[in-house]
Amino acid sequence: MNSNKPLTCIFSILFSIVIFVSLPSLITASSSVTAVFAFGDSTIDAGNNNGLPTLFRSDHAPYGKDFPNQLATGRFSNGKLSTDFMVSSLGLKDQLPAYFNPNITDSDLLTGVTFASAGCGLDDITVNLAEVFSMSRQLDYFDEAVMRIMKLVGEEKGKIIVENSIYVISVGTNDMVDNFYELPTRRLQFSLSDYQDFLLHQLESVVQRLYKAGGRKFIFVGLPPIGCLPVQVTLGSIVPSGHMFQRVCVEQQNTDSIAYNMKLQTLATGLETSNDLKGAKVAYLNVYDSMMDMINNPAKYGLTRTLEGCCGSGVVEMGPLCNSMEAICGDASKYMFWDAVHPTQPAYYVISQLAIQTVFPHLLA
């Protein structure tokens, strides 16, 4: 009875070695998620703006203070972003790198990259003001990346990678802040509701293009409570009102975010059931409620400061104003925001866990 055991053991070892060596190049239809590709603004930009002549850059200290090796990669935070935690939870890699990271290889593309560009919006006017990559340009670079993937692994495996990837789209805040609240560029042309519809129409076009490229799993990241961003709180405190000189959220802007997010949810549901996007799954990530919970119940998350950033005074500094000449807080883990707009690594972690618990199950069902 035991005569075949040595042979069976040897066969098992050899089989395991072959599988282990072949894993990097084997993409099978049973793979739940092959890669994550991200599009949008600074909330998921890992450094694509580093080579651009724009103010929307964070490739300098103290950004990256709590990133591995204290490296300022171009992420607008003290450490990792939500998409970094997402790819790590999926077992794809430790971080989701920028497409324009000079160290990126074609092999790295197999598990995903971010094409996001800080300052980007769905409105071309937003993009032109910031001088960054538009959503259309980001999609062009995605097409380029797909060609590189197929050249590396072949068309059949390349299609499997694209189809089984998750596409994260986080954009819209800059449009509202830059073109509706601070500069009334679009407010002269659109009502609030009409402008929201305009933005959502642009977003729908983005999804349709990704679908045509083979994408099937999409995450729409909702707007944050814009009125609670430290810089908006600051601006709101100098506007004559009953809360003048007080650091409180701008309620109207939060109400606007809620209205947009309701429409975004409706769009997600509509696209998923659309005959034009057969087989697509579209999930809405409710960052608004998650961030409001952090603001209203800070102790629950180990936070003590929620309406000012860790960098500088915390009320206006971001990008070039958040630099090595500015003082920073002693413990960023106690802060919800790193600069006057962008969350800290702990806050991004909370958002990533929300995605893992609420939208991943739907996309992977």
Side-chain angles (χ1 to χ4, degrees), residues 225-229 232-233 236 243 246-254 288 292 295-296 306-307:
I226 291 178
C228 294
L229 301 180
Q232 296 305 104
V233 170
H243 299 293
Q246 298 178 32
R247 291 197 62 77
V248 296
C249 298
V250 182
E251 290 304 324
Q252 184 58 55
Q253 294 180 7
N254 283 356
Y288 182 97
M292 285 304 300
I295 291 169
N296 294 327
T306 57
L307 294 183

Side-chain angles (χ1 to χ4, degrees), residues 111-124:
T111 47
V113 290
T114 175
F115 300 90
S117 180
C120 177
L122 291 162
D123 188 339
D124 284 341

